[in-house]
Amino acid sequence: MARTVWDSTVGKKTVMAVSGLIMLLYLVVHMIGNLKIFFGAGEFNHYAHWLRTVGEPFMHYEWTLWAVRVVLVVAVVAHAVSAYQLSRRDIKARPTKYVHKKARASYATRTMRWGGVILALFIVWHLLDLTTGTVHSGGFEHGKPYQNVVDTFSTWYGNTIYIVAMLAVGLHVRHGFWSAAQTLGAGSRTRDRALKTTGNALALLLTAGFVAVPVGVMTGVVS
């Protein structure tokens, strides 16, 4: 039964919608946590440590954090695989391009695929930079995320990569939220405008919230 659902176009779209909403929820929580950097090193580092102790003593050190990571990895992989397979299925169904492009298609809609690729590459870079420290500029300090974030956004390329990725996040959320609502049956003629407004608001909020951190470092507000 699960295989039948997965093989269907509706099933793949549903997987995309559910996994996308899981990642959207994570982005909102992650953005709120990131903004704690404006309260100083002590507050931000304490928050990062708290993430590793959530659920203690019932949960062992970092178990909750790893559970969240596993869920996110599954969501990202499911989202990417279903998007790729739907894209290939769409190409096979229409081997020749349309003579006229859809004029009403938004910029976000036309760039969803490239936006997904950009975000996939960004996730790899972001983890290697601020989680493992593999590509981190300067001396990576374990247990001191505040200092590591400031190091990253003290470089022009760190700011460029991050801001471009966050703009891609905004475009992806703007179209993806409305699309997920349609797939899950929440959309209707009466609710369509409200859903699009909500998607636009979420996209703007997330983009502004994430970009505020590198801007804060660049302007010296965070140092």
Side-chain angles (χ1 to χ4, degrees):
M1 183 177 178
R3 181 59 185 269
T4 301
V5 172
W6 170 250
D7 286 341
S8 68
T9 298
V10 173
K12 292 183 187 299
K13 287 184 176 180
T14 301
V15 169
M16 273 197 72
V18 173
S19 59
L21 291 176
I22 290 173
M23 290 186 287
L24 177 59
L25 176 61
Y26 168 76
L27 285 173
V28 172
V29 174
H30 189 41
M31 180 202 68
I32 294 172
N34 280 3
L35 293 177
K36 287 181 176 290
I37 200 168
F38 289 99
F39 295 94
E43 180 80 12
F44 192 70
N45 289 341
H46 176 70
Y47 162 69
H49 176 72
W50 172 81
L51 289 176
R52 289 160 172 75
T53 60
V54 174
E56 288 187 343
F58 178 74
M59 298 291 282
H60 193 60
Y61 182 76
E62 286 195 343
W63 277 13
T64 302
L65 183 59
W66 274 106
V68 172
R69 286 170 175 169
V70 169
V71 171
L72 283 173
V73 168
V74 172
V76 170
V77 171
H79 197 77
V81 171
S82 55
Y84 174 77
Q85 292 183 352
L86 282 170
S87 177
R88 299 303 301 172
R89 185 170 292 185
D90 186 53
I91 292 172
K92 288 180 180 180
R94 292 192 300 271
T96 57
K97 294 183 178 179
Y98 288 122
V99 176
H100 300 289
K101 294 182 178 179
K102 294 180 180 179
R104 297 174 62 184
S106 68
Y107 182 77
T109 303
R110 297 195 302 270
T111 56
M112 281 293 282
R113 292 172 186 171
W114 281 111
V117 173
I118 290 172
L119 292 176
L121 294 174
F122 168 75
I123 290 172
V124 174
W125 175 82
H126 195 51
L127 291 173
L128 293 176
D129 179 36
L130 294 176
T131 300
T132 66
T134 307
V135 299
H136 185 74
S137 59
F140 182 79
E141 300 181 71
H142 289 281
K144 294 185 178 181
Y146 181 94
Q147 289 77 359
N148 295 330
V149 169
V150 171
D151 284 346
T152 291
F153 296 134
S154 294
T155 63
W156 68 267
Y157 58 86
N159 288 316
T160 302
I161 293 172
Y162 193 86
I163 291 174
V164 168
M166 293 308 103
L167 292 175
V169 165
L171 288 172
H172 217 74
V173 169
R174 180 174 176 242
H175 175 72
F177 178 81
W178 176 84
S179 181
Q182 301 303 311
T183 298
L184 298 177
S188 67
R189 183 172 297 180
T190 56
R191 291 194 292 265
D192 193 54
R193 186 172 181 177
L195 288 170
K196 287 185 176 180
T197 300
T198 302
N200 291 338
L202 281 170
L204 180 61
L205 176 67
L206 287 169
T207 303
F210 280 118
V211 170
V213 178
V215 171
V217 175
M218 284 189 286
T219 56
V221 175
V222 176
S223 63

